[in-house]
Amino acid sequence: MSISAMAHADLSNTFSPYVSAATAYNSNLFLLQNDQAALANLGTTNMSETYQAYAAGVNMNWQLSRQVISGHAEISQVNFNTYTGMNYTGHDLALKWDWLVDSILQGDVGVSDKLTLAPFLYTKKPLANLLTTRTAFINSFVKINNRWQIKLGADTTHTINSYTTPPNSQQYNDINIDSYNAGFRYITPKGSTFDFLSKVSNGNYPEQLTNLYTYTQYDNGVTFDWIATGKTKLSGRLNYTKRDYPNSQQNDYAGVTGRIAADWFATSKTTLNLTIYRDLNTYITSTSSYDVTQGVSAQAIWLATDKVTATLLGKHETIDFQSTPIRTDELTTASLDLGYQLFRKTKIDLIAERGVRHSNAALDSYRYNSVMLGLNNAF
């Protein structure tokens, strides 16, 4: 559950400021398997924690003739009740320009900078490791005719871990990824889009003494946004992915990756979503440098009344670590979000979530229950 999940308000006019506050409880914040693991990592068998999160920010949507500039700026504060050493001030900044030149050239360019507390999935202890993620991107489309466009793009992502104290330093997972893509877009008469793209990405770890985990990844496939019927929409991407590790070829990967989502607007008050996916997730552990995660999720959104909304989400994943010995995990989560529109621009959310992970690796299974109560107000 995202700490700032309820901190965003809808865009309104040019600038839309908002504030939010939330209190949360998690029965197993550090994702520990049992009391023995908790005693070893925390010095106590009590694995639960409560915390409070506050945020203030502004969304922007500014149209200048045929150009659109959008973005948001947010500052947040998270305070933990027991592990106060992890209290932190975070931020989330983003700016994007959707540009248009005449009627044949268009695209977007943008940057973002986000600071948040890193997840505890692999550390399993109260490390105040702040994760900075900086991105920049540019995409351009050149019109050939009313149906076809040429697409060119590039993006870069830099991820930086703040915790540098041995033996738990996380800097070895700092990563830079530079990507370039090119291809064609087809637009159907009804407005659906199909992008046929080739993409190459170079990943490197600047804080590592060797280039053991430096890689080059090639993705060739299609990205689509298809309006199938008046009530059904399909979107996603499907690629053949090849990742090469020139200095550790035993880690090479070749196979299908992608994500396909189907949205069915069953009634004016009910929306159903089904998503299947298979992705590579990069994170270096003592035995692997990435995992292959494949899963399925189902979501139902019901507008019960003009003021009450219920969102039910279930997800099941199989995570295969590319390691020796072979490690396979299974993760199942379910959540319920009940929203109440207290006033026109004030909303209350109550979110409950349960997660269960089974692993064939020692001490990597866990289960947790969490609940969050939040208030969001837009101005």
Side-chain angles (χ1 to χ4, degrees):
M1 181 187 300
S2 172
I3 287 176
S4 61
M6 291 166 289
H8 298 281
D10 292 334
L11 290 174
S12 177
N13 300 322
T14 302
F15 296 97
S16 177
Y18 61 86
V19 294
S20 71
T23 184
Y25 164 84
N26 191 305
S27 65
N28 186 8
L29 183 66
F30 302 106
L31 307 176
L32 297 162
Q33 179 166 301
N34 50 35
D35 289 348
Q36 290 75 19
L39 193 61
N41 285 19
L42 307 178
T44 175
T45 57
N46 184 6
M47 296 181 280
S48 66
E49 176 63 306
T50 57
Y51 57 87
Q52 293 74 45
Y54 310 93
V58 60
N59 291 315
M60 178 185 69
N61 188 25
W62 187 16
Q63 186 159 355
L64 298 170
S65 184
R66 303 171 71 185
Q67 318 298 315
V68 178
I69 299 175
S70 60
H72 63 263
E74 176 185 291
I75 186 169
S76 59
Q77 177 67 42
V78 178
N79 297 326
F80 293 89
N81 286 13
T82 301
Y83 300 98
T84 56
M86 298 194 308
N87 293 355
Y88 75 97
T89 301
H91 64 252
D92 187 356
L93 310 172
L95 187 64
K96 186 179 76 162
W97 171 27
D98 291 283
W99 52 269
L100 179 66
V101 178
D102 198 16
S103 60
I104 64 169
L105 186 61
Q106 66 182 60
D108 56 27
V109 58
V111 294
S112 67
D113 189 304
K114 186 174 183 178
L115 177 68
T116 188
L117 190 64
F120 304 111
L121 176 59
Y122 296 109
T123 59
K124 298 187 180 296
K125 58 183 63 177
L127 295 182
N129 181 36
L130 297 182
L131 195 65
T132 299
T133 304
R134 298 189 176 108
T135 65
F137 64 88
I138 183 170
N139 295 292
S140 61
F141 294 89
V142 181
K143 182 178 179 181
I144 300 175
N145 55 41
N146 290 336
R147 294 286 171 262
W148 289 94
Q149 297 175 345
I150 299 173
K151 182 181 185 299
L152 300 171
D155 61 82
T156 182
T157 300
H158 303 277
T159 303
I160 304 167
N161 292 268
S162 71
Y163 200 89
T164 61
T165 304
N168 296 309
S169 173
Q170 299 297 302
Q171 279 190 304
Y172 63 89
N173 261 303
D174 291 0
I175 186 172
N176 300 329
I177 303 174
D178 299 317
S179 301
Y180 310 90
N181 65 80
F184 296 91
R185 166 170 287 185
Y186 175 72
I187 306 173
T188 71
K190 293 185 177 181
S192 300
T193 60
F194 295 84
D195 294 348
F196 304 92
L197 296 174
S198 291
K199 180 178 181 180
V200 59
S201 304
N202 297 307
N204 68 84
Y205 296 84
E207 296 299 326
Q208 293 199 8
L209 298 179
T210 68
N211 293 323
L212 187 64
Y213 296 114
T214 295
Y215 68 85
T216 299
Q217 179 172 314
Y218 305 91
D219 293 286
N220 295 285
V222 59
T223 301
F224 58 92
D225 193 344
W226 177 33
I227 304 170
T229 70
K231 291 189 174 183
T232 307
K233 174 184 171 184
L234 295 174
S235 60
R237 56 179 170 80
L238 190 61
N239 290 320
Y240 180 78
T241 297
K242 190 173 186 297
R243 179 180 286 191
D244 295 332
Y245 289 85
N247 300 313
S248 54
Q249 296 181 7
Q250 70 275 12
N251 293 318
D252 289 356
Y253 172 85
V256 175
T257 62
R259 178 177 294 261
I260 300 174
D263 292 294
W264 180 37
F265 305 94
T267 70
S268 60
K269 294 186 175 183
T270 305
T271 302
L272 303 177
N273 171 273
L274 180 67
T275 302
I276 58 173
Y277 50 92
R278 178 182 172 90
D279 284 313
L280 303 185
N281 297 308
T282 301
Y283 190 93
I284 294 177
T285 69
S286 59
T287 59
S288 68
S289 60
Y290 68 96
D291 68 68
V292 181
T293 297
Q294 54 187 2
V296 58
S297 69
Q299 182 184 62
I301 302 174
W302 178 41
L303 181 61
T305 70
D306 290 341
K307 290 181 175 291
V308 179
T309 304
T311 303
L312 181 64
L313 174 64
K315 183 185 298 185
H316 180 77
E317 296 179 341
T318 300
I319 304 112
D320 291 316
F321 292 82
Q322 306 302 295
S323 60
T324 302
I326 295 173
R327 173 184 169 184
T328 300
D329 294 7
E330 290 192 1
L331 174 63
T332 303
T333 59
S335 66
L336 175 64
D337 181 349
L338 297 176
Y340 180 71
Q341 200 71 35
L342 187 62
F343 303 112
R344 186 170 67 91
K345 292 189 175 183
T346 305
K347 185 183 180 185
I348 298 175
D349 279 280
L350 177 64
I351 304 174
E353 181 173 307
R354 176 172 174 80
V356 178
R357 186 175 186 130
H358 297 287
S359 176
N360 63 348
L363 300 178
D364 281 310
S365 298
Y366 61 80
R367 61 185 63 229
Y368 69 87
N369 297 297
S370 67
V371 62
M372 175 183 284
L373 177 65
L375 175 70
N376 181 285
N377 185 78
F379 300 97

